[in-house]
Amino acid sequence: MAYVASREARSFLRSLAAITLGLGLAIGGGCQRGQSAKSKDNASSATAAAKQPSADDGAKPATGRKILERMIATYRKASSYADNGVVHMVAEADGKKLRDVTEKFSFAIERPNKVRVEAYGASLVCDGKRLFAAVNDLPGQVLLTNAPPRLTLRSVFRDWALTRAMTQSFAGAMPQVMLALAEKPMEALTQGGDEPVLAESGDIEGHECYRVKVNRDTVGSTTFWIDQQTFLLRRVVLPTDELRNMLSQEQPIDTLSVVADFPGAAIDVKVDPTAFAFEAPKDAKTVDYLIPPHMGQLLKNKAPQFEFHDLAGKPVTSETMAGKITVLNFWSIGFDCKQNLQDLEQVFQRYKNNPRVAIYAVCLDPPQLKNSDVTQAMQDLKVHVPLLRDPKQAAAAFKLAEPPSTFILDDKGIVQHCEGVTRELAKTLPQRLDKALAGGDISAEAQKQYQDQLNFLGQYAKLADQPEEPAESGKTTATKEVPLPEAKIGQRTQPSRLKLTPLWRCTELKSPGNIVVLSGGAGARLLVTDEWTSLAEVGLDGKVIARHKPDLAPQEVIGCLRTASGADGHRYVVAFFWQQQRCHVFDENWKPVAHYPADALQHPHSGITDVQFGDLDGSGQLRLFLSYAGVVGVQSATLDGKRLWSNRAAANVSSLAVGTRHKNGPRELLCATGGETLTGIDARGASHGEIGVSGRQLRRIAAADLRGEGQSLWCGIAPIALGRDVAVGFSLAGEELWQYPLPEGVAPQPIEPIITGRVLRDGPSQWLLPGPDGSIHIIAADGTPIDKFNYGEALQGLATVDIGGRPTLVVATAKGLEAWSMDLGPAR
């Protein structure tokens, strides 16, 4: 089923932003450490009789890292390369093979701009004039564009759907592509793992090979088999920990191996010209970007022919539903569909006696699951919606991502609405049914959501077409910054619902930035970054109380702040900034407690992207949680800078949030990578599941107990087009609860994108979203817009605090720090 494939794929999908920008990509997937597989002879795309050049300069490398460096240099200097690579996965239990899969994993290149890449049923070919790409699972489409003047990783991974297809399967991305084209191939190979270790040599088809192992916490070891004469990669044995955990959910597995072999690998040889020829499938349509299946493609069209069966085996078909408005709610026991079914039950009870409406719950589980098990699941939930089974897998034609999903067909069988997980089904489905019964068009909302997805695919493709700076000979080409729409600061406007009264203005700060509110023995006050290198405590009267200048290296800046108190009541502050090497922790007396990671200036990484305080195990002890760009992943440390664990399962983590799943439940750490899923990490540093939110590529997330009930609410920011974002509320069940589009453009000054605070005296707190155009958007806990207005200046910091019993808005701009009391004003 399509939704099962989607669930498996998410476990391997890594952040794609790094690929698009031509950076190193983490090699996903894995295999049992040390295990080898015998490669088979295949027709090589390189000239078979070509003599292999030696990369040996007379000095044998002495360490695993040196060998990897020699291999990288070999691929970077090569004018051409070709192999006939394959990747093989074998899973066994009780002496029987449960899975035995072999996929093409081949790569050929002639610089500057001829290439062929084949992996997992996807292919990309460039003949030096035109570039073609196709994916077997997307028949009828061929991507066609002009050849780039010089191949880069960005030009290979130029398309969202193509990149997913080439990186999401069981072995991840192709290492030989990374070696030839990645700007940071060493990072791509080691993924922030331990120092490469030289193991005992081995032989592959007469090639004596170095074996270099790289161990990664929580993932396992990757072993590279590198030819001792040519320094070409002959084999990669990948770790299988993540893959084993996923497959074991279906059935126990005794042994699992994933091995990529590269028979016929050769450099600086004449590649067979047919390797760069592309034969488009008959009747295929050329496109600017590939479009994956999406249920939104069915809107305003005749629904696919279907035949489902009730529990007595009686068919329910497109024809039998003619003349009725039909609701098909697709669900599965293997997914969290409890709330969906209970909401559907409410709607069914309302319309069950209406002869013009038919409502069905279509179970997607395979026929092997007994009817009695399905009915028992429904009875446990006290759901009486008519139940259908799908023995002929007719639901596949509905292009489902995953259950639960709901379709509304009109009386002529036209798809009028479709949606995935929603918490509002009990509310919105009756509204849509009533409108459809009255003859109204209910397709507009779903059509807009699908158009947003198409816009994203188009903008992603445009990133690959951005020109790059020419590289000097022998040097890596620098990626030119992608131009994003500049935000235009709007004219000052007044709130429509709130009344702002000026309290004070502080001009003692030269360039105030992000703000947090401190509380404790010294009373409430504001902590503000200033001039990127110092911190200022500002009293609630607008006067500067104290200044603090952290001990920063010349290249370091600070612009983001976090604060929290432990069970002992002591407060801590951490200061950092995006893409910097270290964060800086202070106690309540402003004594430096840690600069973490301590050795980062001597051993640089790709940059910190977020820092959070948290107590995941309920011990009362605060911990630090840091996320990183590149392949370092997520780390936890004590407040004095001792590392507790590292999780490298996710690459290019862009944001962290700590919150609860259930009321008064344990706290969890959630990680966003800008991909379609969020990764959960427990107190021990182990990944414990992924959450998809309606296909959103969330890049920033936040959690807050806005209602004061001991349960976190969650908010995220996701792109819908280049330079255009949407804020969404979501649950940890993957439900999109609300959405709020943000103004176009990029803020001229970095500012925290999601802020929580109180603007009304009574009731829950709110989400505050600073717009890049100087606007401030205030959203209620349930996603209802409360107010919006434009400040008339570029925003540099935003916070709320209680002053004299009144909610107060504090705004930082280039002109200083201003405070405004807030009251409900007359409606405008």
Side-chain angles (χ1 to χ4, degrees), residues 4 80 84 156 175 208 286 306 318 400 458 467 470 478 591 594 643:
V4 176
S80 66
N84 201 20
V156 171
E208 191 68 19
T286 58
F306 60 84
S318 312
L400 307 177
K591 177 183 176 182
R643 185 183 301 177

Side-chain angles (χ1 to χ4, degrees), residues 10 29 83 169 174 304 389 459 511 553 703 760 805 816:
R10 288 203 307 270
D83 65 41
S169 199
M174 301 170 67
R389 302 299 301 271
Q459 296 293 350
S511 182
L760 303 175

Side-chain angles (χ1 to χ4, degrees), residues 586-624:
F586 306 91
D587 66 14
E588 56 192 1
N589 298 313
W590 294 103
K591 177 183 176 182
V593 177
H595 302 281
Y596 184 86
D599 61 348
L601 298 182
Q602 293 75 35
H603 304 284
H605 47 76
S606 296
I608 293 170
T609 57
D610 201 359
V611 181
Q612 296 289 342
F613 286 114
D615 173 17
L616 300 187
D617 59 9
S619 65
Q621 292 184 311
L622 286 178
R623 304 300 190 193
L624 280 176

Side-chain angles (χ1 to χ4, degrees), residues 262-295:
F262 309 103
I267 58 170
D268 297 326
V269 293
K270 178 63 178 176
V271 180
D272 187 340
T274 61
F276 307 122
F278 182 84
E279 184 176 349
K282 187 178 180 180
D283 300 327
K285 178 183 177 182
T286 58
V287 296
D288 294 330
Y289 52 88
L290 300 173
I291 301 176
H294 191 287
M295 57 187 178

Side-chain angles (χ1 to χ4, degrees), residues 6 52 83 99 197 229 270 275 313 330 505 548 639 739:
S6 174
Q52 291 291 314
D83 65 41
R99 297 199 181 193
V197 175
Q229 295 300 312
K270 178 63 178 176
F330 298 97
R505 183 175 184 181
H548 310 284
L639 297 184
Q739 60 173 290

Side-chain angles (χ1 to χ4, degrees), residues 395-734:
F398 285 81
K399 304 183 180 184
L400 307 177
E402 63 180 36
S405 296
T406 304
F407 281 75
I408 302 177
L409 317 182
D410 66 16
D411 54 4
K412 297 180 179 62
I414 303 299
V415 178
Q416 293 290 346
H417 181 76
C418 56
E419 63 183 332
V421 179
T422 173
R423 192 184 66 171
E424 304 293 326
L425 190 67
K427 174 184 176 182
T428 59
L429 183 53
Q431 294 172 349
R432 294 188 174 103
L433 287 176
D434 289 345
K435 187 173 181 179
L437 286 167
D441 185 351
I442 60 173
S443 63
E445 181 182 348
Q447 285 182 310
K448 183 182 182 302
Q449 290 179 352
Y450 177 55
Q451 187 59 50
D452 287 344
Q453 293 292 322
L454 292 180
N455 291 341
F456 175 81
L457 294 174
Q459 296 293 350
Y460 185 94
K462 289 181 180 179
L463 292 175
D465 294 326
Q466 297 296 327
E468 298 182 85
E469 299 289 354
E472 298 178 29
S473 177
K475 294 186 178 181
T476 302
T477 298
T479 302
K480 186 176 181 179
E481 184 177 351
V482 177
L484 295 171
E486 293 185 7
K488 295 182 179 179
I489 304 302
Q491 293 184 347
R492 188 159 193 148
T493 60
Q494 294 299 316
S496 59
R497 194 178 166 201
L498 297 172
K499 179 183 177 182
L500 300 182
T501 303
L503 290 184
W504 48 258
R505 183 175 184 181
C506 175
T507 58
E508 297 179 61
L509 307 182
K510 295 182 179 180
S511 182
N514 285 306
I515 311 163
V516 294
V517 179
L518 303 179
S519 58
R525 57 210 184 279
L526 306 171
L527 182 66
V528 189
T529 63
D530 190 25
E531 293 192 292
W532 301 102
T533 56
S534 65
L535 306 173
E537 291 184 71
V538 179
L540 300 189
D541 59 357
K543 305 294 184 183
V544 174
I545 300 173
R547 293 181 182 272
H548 310 284
K549 197 167 183 63
D551 183 17
L552 303 178
Q555 69 271 34
E556 287 186 299
V557 298
I558 51 176
C560 300
L561 300 170
R562 305 282 186 265
T563 184
S565 297
D568 58 3
H570 293 301
R571 177 186 47 77
Y572 293 87
V573 169
V574 61
F576 69 101
F577 195 59
W578 301 307
Q579 303 300 320
Q580 290 289 295
Q581 292 295 306
R582 302 188 299 175
C583 69
H584 312 276
V585 186
F586 306 91
D587 66 14
E588 56 192 1
N589 298 313
W590 294 103
K591 177 183 176 182
V593 177
H595 302 281
Y596 184 86
D599 61 348
L601 298 182
Q602 293 75 35
H603 304 284
H605 47 76
S606 296
I608 293 170
T609 57
D610 201 359
V611 181
Q612 296 289 342
F613 286 114
D615 173 17
L616 300 187
D617 59 9
S619 65
Q621 292 184 311
L622 286 178
R623 304 300 190 193
L624 280 176
F625 302 100
L626 293 87
S627 61
Y628 295 83
V631 295
V632 179
V634 178
Q635 293 179 349
S636 175
T638 60
L639 297 184
D640 58 358
K642 295 183 177 67
R643 185 183 301 177
L644 297 173
W645 50 255
S646 177
N647 184 317
R648 300 185 178 95
N652 289 293
V653 179
S654 57
S655 182
L656 300 173
V658 177
T660 59
R661 181 181 296 264
H662 306 293
K663 188 173 182 178
N664 297 320
R667 301 180 74 78
E668 301 183 39
L669 179 67
L670 218 58
C671 313
T673 64
E676 289 185 348
T677 57
L678 305 172
T679 301
I681 298 180
D682 64 22
R684 297 170 299 169
S687 301
H688 64 82
E690 295 185 330
I691 300 168
V693 183
S694 301
R696 298 289 191 189
Q697 289 86 34
L698 296 173
R699 58 179 179 81
R700 302 295 297 182
I701 54 175
D705 182 12
L706 297 183
R707 295 192 177 101
E709 299 175 346
Q711 182 169 356
S712 297
L713 301 180
W714 301 79
C715 179
I717 303 290
I720 54 177
L722 189 65
R724 188 71 185 267
D725 291 338
V726 63
V728 297
F730 62 93
S731 73
L732 296 195

Side-chain angles (χ1 to χ4, degrees), residues 308-316 371 375 387-389:
F308 304 122
H309 291 178
D310 65 17
L311 297 186
K314 181 181 177 181
V316 174
N371 284 346
T375 54
L387 177 63
L388 300 179
R389 302 299 301 271

Side-chain angles (χ1 to χ4, degrees), residues 237-257:
V237 182
L238 294 137
T240 58
D241 293 0
E242 290 179 318
L243 183 59
R244 178 191 296 273
N245 290 339
M246 187 193 71
L247 296 180
S248 296
Q249 294 176 9
E250 300 177 7
Q251 58 191 125
I253 293 175
D254 294 335
T255 62
L256 177 66
S257 67

